[in-house]
Amino acid sequence: MYNEFNKYIFNSFFGPSNVGESICLSIDDTFINKFCQYRNVEFSVFETSIKQKLSSNWAPVISCGKEDIPNYLGLLVMQVYAAYLMRDDNEISEKAYNPRLIELLGIENISRLNMLYRAYQDTVWSNFRKWCITNGYLVNLPAPKTGKGCNIQYPLSQALLNKEDFKSLSRFFHKRKIKPKEQFSYSTFCKLVFKINKGEITAHYDRLYNRHLKEGTLDYLNQQVFSFYCNWDGNIEGTCAISEKNINGNSRSSDKVEIQSQILVVDHAITSARILNEWDNELYKFNIYEEDFFLNVNSKYDLPYDGVIVFKKDKDYNDWVETRFVNKKDCCLIIIDKSTFSNKNLNEIRWAADKNHSYSHLYAFEVNLAELSPNSLYLLGEHIDFDSQTYFSGGLKLRRNVYMKGAGPEIVFNGPVDAWLNSVRVFEAKDSLKYDATELEVGEYVLKVENETPKHFAIQDPIFITSNSKEGWQISRNNKKWDFSKSEPNFHGLYYLGGQNLQNSSSEIRNWINNIIFTNREKYNDSLILIEEAKKRAKYGIKL
């Protein structure tokens, strides 16, 4: 049964979808009980089989077994489970931990346990660390040491959050209006975690927080909270970091309440705001001149701040998209409710802004953060992610995060990091800081970069106009750019800044543009002018 338990652990934590993620072997009663249910055995039967395997010799489980699955996962998990059993203890020490491990594994006495520690403990955890690195999993483990606590430091670093903590964290995210798939760095996410009040999660979380704060190891806890958020789908009841879909192929959850994927955008002229769904279809529209603008928006859309809305410039669409944080090099728009903001801060922002827009009930400031002084940046610090993040450049967009096949984006990294695209390593620190994604196949993609939230995007095939249908690629004469909607799938925001221009590529959109220009060469009308402009943008990378 040990081998089955070992494989169950592997499938729970180390599936393909977990590559590029921070892994924490968070084990509690729920995990052990679910394995017993999966195997249809009583806990006593499970316990007996574990003791038979691990009571006297750990050498047989030190190496990797069949299918390159480490044989030692069961040993590590049982060590972490022993640490979990101390969750209500006032004292976290070897004196409290060792008797529990001796009981779980059926070890003869403390002398025998110490012998096993000396022979295998540093080795088995070091092997685990190396295996994780080799296979693309991120793991946060303490360095080997000598003296007091040297053997139990490893399982204690993993015995962190349990199922009830995860449930409470998901409610915390919802309460603080933190939505799935927001973009920020790990360090900026920690600012949100630091705002957790005592008793807001669970008493167990509070004890963990206080202990790790005292020991200077708070990063262990914060990394697991961050990893949980990166996989959180908006389920208000909480999704345990242990993914059941890896075990049986199907994702299971009960009482699931998902936060709908929506964005809030403001037009370039700063006259109206719209809430769009994932297909860029308009759900609600608001006039910025209305006295109840903030109230009306807040009734349909969860704003992260009271009396302040922060937007990031979307150059592809020439509009502004609401965000919790902007990067220190971004152009941003800050809309402020006059009734809730101090005059002192207001004057500072007004002085730093490139453009000021004043209405009877609110202010709107356009700010280029790259040109601000350190003092001005500090003033807006609550809304700024000071760690540079990976970003996408160029590409031909069909929707906000959807690119056309043959014209995907260029991914630009801001430093020496490892990155995984759909669980495949695409970038290593020794390589260049760019990854060419222009020729990706049709599909959905998730880019994972260490200490950043995942970035989701897709590649789609174009749909062409036929003589018998109005659907497909069309040109909007009103705003002079390609347009896209669910009912009429057009091309929104032709935009390309990649290293290889489309003039010399074999892309379908390049062939299509050339054919249209050839067909209309005799009729030099508005449509032809727009197509010529689109061709220039595609060839030379001229922004809209």
PDB file of all heavy atoms in Angstrom, residues 4 23 35 41 46 73 136-137 247 250 285 312 348 355 368 417 429 489 526 532:
ATOM      1  N   GLU A   4       1.254   2.684  -3.460  1.00  0.00           N
ATOM      2  CA  GLU A   4       0.041   3.361  -3.920  1.00  0.00           C
ATOM      3  C   GLU A   4      -0.079   4.733  -3.278  1.00  0.00           C
ATOM      4  O   GLU A   4      -0.468   5.717  -3.929  1.00  0.00           O
ATOM      5  CB  GLU A   4      -1.190   2.513  -3.584  1.00  0.00           C
ATOM      6  CG  GLU A   4      -1.291   1.217  -4.365  1.00  0.00           C
ATOM      7  CD  GLU A   4      -2.539   0.441  -3.993  1.00  0.00           C
ATOM      8  OE1 GLU A   4      -3.637   0.881  -4.366  1.00  0.00           O
ATOM      9  OE2 GLU A   4      -2.406  -0.585  -3.308  1.00  0.00           O
ATOM     10  N   ILE A  23       5.471  24.525  -4.684  1.00  0.00           N
ATOM     11  CA  ILE A  23       4.852  23.334  -4.109  1.00  0.00           C
ATOM     12  C   ILE A  23       5.098  23.307  -2.600  1.00  0.00           C
ATOM     13  O   ILE A  23       6.220  23.510  -2.143  1.00  0.00           O
ATOM     14  CB  ILE A  23       5.425  22.044  -4.736  1.00  0.00           C
ATOM     15  CG1 ILE A  23       5.211  22.050  -6.253  1.00  0.00           C
ATOM     16  CG2 ILE A  23       4.792  20.806  -4.109  1.00  0.00           C
ATOM     17  CD1 ILE A  23       3.764  22.053  -6.691  1.00  0.00           C
ATOM     18  N   PHE A  35      -7.217   9.576   1.050  1.00  0.00           N
ATOM     19  CA  PHE A  35      -6.498   8.436   0.490  1.00  0.00           C
ATOM     20  C   PHE A  35      -7.117   7.125   0.976  1.00  0.00           C
ATOM     21  O   PHE A  35      -7.283   6.181   0.190  1.00  0.00           O
ATOM     22  CB  PHE A  35      -5.019   8.464   0.872  1.00  0.00           C
ATOM     23  CG  PHE A  35      -4.302   7.207   0.484  1.00  0.00           C
ATOM     24  CD1 PHE A  35      -4.002   6.939  -0.848  1.00  0.00           C
ATOM     25  CD2 PHE A  35      -3.968   6.244   1.435  1.00  0.00           C
ATOM     26  CE1 PHE A  35      -3.366   5.756  -1.214  1.00  0.00           C
ATOM     27  CE2 PHE A  35      -3.338   5.054   1.080  1.00  0.00           C
ATOM     28  CZ  PHE A  35      -3.031   4.814  -0.257  1.00  0.00           C
ATOM     29  N   VAL A  41      -9.966   1.612   2.594  1.00  0.00           N
ATOM     30  CA  VAL A  41      -9.416   0.914   3.758  1.00  0.00           C
ATOM     31  C   VAL A  41      -9.609   1.787   4.999  1.00  0.00           C
ATOM     32  O   VAL A  41      -9.776   3.002   4.906  1.00  0.00           O
ATOM     33  CB  VAL A  41      -7.911   0.609   3.585  1.00  0.00           C
ATOM     34  CG1 VAL A  41      -7.687  -0.338   2.429  1.00  0.00           C
ATOM     35  CG2 VAL A  41      -7.103   1.889   3.410  1.00  0.00           C
ATOM     36  N   PHE A  46      -4.134   1.337   6.877  1.00  0.00           N
ATOM     37  CA  PHE A  46      -3.153   2.233   6.254  1.00  0.00           C
ATOM     38  C   PHE A  46      -1.950   2.422   7.175  1.00  0.00           C
ATOM     39  O   PHE A  46      -0.796   2.319   6.750  1.00  0.00           O
ATOM     40  CB  PHE A  46      -3.814   3.579   5.951  1.00  0.00           C
ATOM     41  CG  PHE A  46      -2.850   4.698   5.692  1.00  0.00           C
ATOM     42  CD1 PHE A  46      -2.170   4.788   4.488  1.00  0.00           C
ATOM     43  CD2 PHE A  46      -2.614   5.669   6.659  1.00  0.00           C
ATOM     44  CE1 PHE A  46      -1.273   5.822   4.251  1.00  0.00           C
ATOM     45  CE2 PHE A  46      -1.725   6.707   6.436  1.00  0.00           C
ATOM     46  CZ  PHE A  46      -1.055   6.782   5.225  1.00  0.00           C
ATOM     47  N   LEU A  73       8.390  10.086  -1.277  1.00  0.00           N
ATOM     48  CA  LEU A  73       7.292  11.026  -1.038  1.00  0.00           C
ATOM     49  C   LEU A  73       6.442  10.597   0.153  1.00  0.00           C
ATOM     50  O   LEU A  73       6.003  11.429   0.954  1.00  0.00           O
ATOM     51  CB  LEU A  73       6.424  11.155  -2.292  1.00  0.00           C
ATOM     52  CG  LEU A  73       7.091  11.802  -3.510  1.00  0.00           C
ATOM     53  CD1 LEU A  73       6.123  11.834  -4.697  1.00  0.00           C
ATOM     54  CD2 LEU A  73       7.580  13.203  -3.179  1.00  0.00           C
ATOM     55  N   GLY A 136      10.981  21.119 -12.684  1.00  0.00           N
ATOM     56  CA  GLY A 136      10.233  22.361 -12.874  1.00  0.00           C
ATOM     57  C   GLY A 136       9.279  22.721 -11.768  1.00  0.00           C
ATOM     58  O   GLY A 136       8.371  23.528 -11.978  1.00  0.00           O
ATOM     59  N   TYR A 137       9.453  22.165 -10.581  1.00  0.00           N
ATOM     60  CA  TYR A 137       8.605  22.522  -9.431  1.00  0.00           C
ATOM     61  C   TYR A 137       9.414  23.400  -8.474  1.00  0.00           C
ATOM     62  O   TYR A 137      10.609  23.147  -8.239  1.00  0.00           O
ATOM     63  CB  TYR A 137       8.129  21.265  -8.699  1.00  0.00           C
ATOM     64  CG  TYR A 137       7.347  20.312  -9.573  1.00  0.00           C
ATOM     65  CD1 TYR A 137       7.936  19.132 -10.038  1.00  0.00           C
ATOM     66  CD2 TYR A 137       6.043  20.593  -9.941  1.00  0.00           C
ATOM     67  CE1 TYR A 137       7.235  18.256 -10.847  1.00  0.00           C
ATOM     68  CE2 TYR A 137       5.334  19.715 -10.765  1.00  0.00           C
ATOM     69  CZ  TYR A 137       5.938  18.556 -11.210  1.00  0.00           C
ATOM     70  OH  TYR A 137       5.238  17.692 -12.023  1.00  0.00           O
ATOM     71  N   ILE A 247      -5.757  13.577  -9.595  1.00  0.00           N
ATOM     72  CA  ILE A 247      -5.873  12.199  -9.134  1.00  0.00           C
ATOM     73  C   ILE A 247      -6.795  11.389 -10.036  1.00  0.00           C
ATOM     74  O   ILE A 247      -6.475  10.305 -10.478  1.00  0.00           O
ATOM     75  CB  ILE A 247      -6.392  12.157  -7.684  1.00  0.00           C
ATOM     76  CG1 ILE A 247      -5.398  12.898  -6.763  1.00  0.00           C
ATOM     77  CG2 ILE A 247      -6.615  10.738  -7.218  1.00  0.00           C
ATOM     78  CD1 ILE A 247      -5.912  13.098  -5.365  1.00  0.00           C
ATOM     79  N   ASN A 250     -10.777  14.570 -13.115  1.00  0.00           N
ATOM     80  CA  ASN A 250     -11.897  15.496 -13.097  1.00  0.00           C
ATOM     81  C   ASN A 250     -11.774  16.418 -11.891  1.00  0.00           C
ATOM     82  O   ASN A 250     -11.476  15.986 -10.793  1.00  0.00           O
ATOM     83  CB  ASN A 250     -13.234  14.751 -13.003  1.00  0.00           C
ATOM     84  CG  ASN A 250     -13.462  13.879 -14.205  1.00  0.00           C
ATOM     85  OD1 ASN A 250     -13.434  14.356 -15.334  1.00  0.00           O
ATOM     86  ND2 ASN A 250     -13.673  12.583 -13.976  1.00  0.00           N
ATOM     87  N   LYS A 285     -22.731  50.336 -19.242  1.00  0.00           N
ATOM     88  CA  LYS A 285     -22.038  51.563 -19.640  1.00  0.00           C
ATOM     89  C   LYS A 285     -22.407  52.683 -18.675  1.00  0.00           C
ATOM     90  O   LYS A 285     -23.563  52.813 -18.258  1.00  0.00           O
ATOM     91  CB  LYS A 285     -22.397  51.951 -21.073  1.00  0.00           C
ATOM     92  CG  LYS A 285     -21.575  53.118 -21.622  1.00  0.00           C
ATOM     93  CD  LYS A 285     -21.851  53.336 -23.102  1.00  0.00           C
ATOM     94  CE  LYS A 285     -20.976  54.445 -23.660  1.00  0.00           C
ATOM     95  NZ  LYS A 285     -21.190  54.643 -25.119  1.00  0.00           N
ATOM     96  N   LYS A 312      -4.755  51.184 -16.077  1.00  0.00           N
ATOM     97  CA  LYS A 312      -3.505  51.057 -16.828  1.00  0.00           C
ATOM     98  C   LYS A 312      -3.801  51.286 -18.306  1.00  0.00           C
ATOM     99  O   LYS A 312      -4.816  50.836 -18.825  1.00  0.00           O
ATOM    100  CB  LYS A 312      -2.918  49.661 -16.626  1.00  0.00           C
ATOM    101  CG  LYS A 312      -1.632  49.408 -17.385  1.00  0.00           C
ATOM    102  CD  LYS A 312      -1.121  47.993 -17.110  1.00  0.00           C
ATOM    103  CE  LYS A 312       0.144  47.699 -17.899  1.00  0.00           C
ATOM    104  NZ  LYS A 312       0.662  46.334 -17.627  1.00  0.00           N
ATOM    105  N   GLU A 348      -0.618  67.031  -4.668  1.00  0.00           N
ATOM    106  CA  GLU A 348       0.611  66.345  -5.053  1.00  0.00           C
ATOM    107  C   GLU A 348       0.418  65.579  -6.363  1.00  0.00           C
ATOM    108  O   GLU A 348       1.269  65.604  -7.246  1.00  0.00           O
ATOM    109  CB  GLU A 348       1.025  65.378  -3.943  1.00  0.00           C
ATOM    110  CG  GLU A 348       1.403  66.049  -2.639  1.00  0.00           C
ATOM    111  CD  GLU A 348       2.893  66.286  -2.534  1.00  0.00           C
ATOM    112  OE1 GLU A 348       3.606  65.943  -3.479  1.00  0.00           O
ATOM    113  OE2 GLU A 348       3.323  66.818  -1.501  1.00  0.00           O
ATOM    114  N   LYS A 355      -1.811  65.108 -17.510  1.00  0.00           N
ATOM    115  CA  LYS A 355      -3.074  65.742 -17.895  1.00  0.00           C
ATOM    116  C   LYS A 355      -4.040  65.681 -16.718  1.00  0.00           C
ATOM    117  O   LYS A 355      -4.118  64.663 -16.033  1.00  0.00           O
ATOM    118  CB  LYS A 355      -3.691  65.027 -19.102  1.00  0.00           C
ATOM    119  CG  LYS A 355      -2.902  65.177 -20.395  1.00  0.00           C
ATOM    120  CD  LYS A 355      -3.622  64.485 -21.548  1.00  0.00           C
ATOM    121  CE  LYS A 355      -2.837  64.592 -22.843  1.00  0.00           C
ATOM    122  NZ  LYS A 355      -3.544  63.889 -23.958  1.00  0.00           N
ATOM    123  N   ASN A 368       2.310  59.520 -16.156  1.00  0.00           N
ATOM    124  CA  ASN A 368       3.359  58.643 -16.686  1.00  0.00           C
ATOM    125  C   ASN A 368       4.313  58.332 -15.540  1.00  0.00           C
ATOM    126  O   ASN A 368       5.162  59.150 -15.178  1.00  0.00           O
ATOM    127  CB  ASN A 368       4.090  59.329 -17.837  1.00  0.00           C
ATOM    128  CG  ASN A 368       5.107  58.411 -18.501  1.00  0.00           C
ATOM    129  OD1 ASN A 368       5.385  57.308 -18.007  1.00  0.00           O
ATOM    130  ND2 ASN A 368       5.667  58.838 -19.616  1.00  0.00           N
ATOM    131  N   VAL A 417      15.185  34.790 -14.877  1.00  0.00           N
ATOM    132  CA  VAL A 417      14.202  33.945 -14.205  1.00  0.00           C
ATOM    133  C   VAL A 417      13.961  32.693 -15.039  1.00  0.00           C
ATOM    134  O   VAL A 417      14.348  32.629 -16.205  1.00  0.00           O
ATOM    135  CB  VAL A 417      12.858  34.682 -14.004  1.00  0.00           C
ATOM    136  CG1 VAL A 417      13.012  35.847 -13.053  1.00  0.00           C
ATOM    137  CG2 VAL A 417      12.295  35.150 -15.345  1.00  0.00           C
ATOM    138  N   ALA A 429      17.586  31.340 -17.074  1.00  0.00           N
ATOM    139  CA  ALA A 429      18.316  32.556 -16.718  1.00  0.00           C
ATOM    140  C   ALA A 429      19.485  32.843 -17.660  1.00  0.00           C
ATOM    141  O   ALA A 429      19.817  33.984 -17.919  1.00  0.00           O
ATOM    142  CB  ALA A 429      18.811  32.447 -15.281  1.00  0.00           C
ATOM    143  N   PRO A 489     -17.297  38.101 -35.416  1.00  0.00           N
ATOM    144  CA  PRO A 489     -15.886  37.944 -35.034  1.00  0.00           C
ATOM    145  C   PRO A 489     -14.920  38.671 -35.960  1.00  0.00           C
ATOM    146  O   PRO A 489     -14.427  38.119 -36.928  1.00  0.00           O
ATOM    147  CB  PRO A 489     -15.690  36.424 -35.093  1.00  0.00           C
ATOM    148  CG  PRO A 489     -16.712  35.961 -36.067  1.00  0.00           C
ATOM    149  CD  PRO A 489     -17.878  36.873 -35.943  1.00  0.00           C
ATOM    150  N   ASP A 526     -12.449  54.633 -49.014  1.00  0.00           N
ATOM    151  CA  ASP A 526     -12.142  54.602 -47.579  1.00  0.00           C
ATOM    152  C   ASP A 526     -11.655  53.237 -47.129  1.00  0.00           C
ATOM    153  O   ASP A 526     -10.735  53.133 -46.316  1.00  0.00           O
ATOM    154  CB  ASP A 526     -13.385  54.993 -46.765  1.00  0.00           C
ATOM    155  CG  ASP A 526     -13.654  56.483 -46.857  1.00  0.00           C
ATOM    156  OD1 ASP A 526     -12.756  57.204 -47.300  1.00  0.00           O
ATOM    157  OD2 ASP A 526     -14.763  56.915 -46.472  1.00  0.00           O
ATOM    158  N   GLU A 532      -4.667  49.956 -46.235  1.00  0.00           N
ATOM    159  CA  GLU A 532      -3.278  50.400 -46.381  1.00  0.00           C
ATOM    160  C   GLU A 532      -2.692  50.774 -45.023  1.00  0.00           C
ATOM    161  O   GLU A 532      -1.540  50.465 -44.718  1.00  0.00           O
ATOM    162  CB  GLU A 532      -3.213  51.602 -47.347  1.00  0.00           C
ATOM    163  CG  GLU A 532      -3.487  51.254 -48.803  1.00  0.00           C
ATOM    164  CD  GLU A 532      -2.290  50.577 -49.458  1.00  0.00           C
ATOM    165  OE1 GLU A 532      -1.324  50.257 -48.744  1.00  0.00           O
ATOM    166  OE2 GLU A 532      -2.328  50.359 -50.665  1.00  0.00           O
TER     167      GLU A 532
END
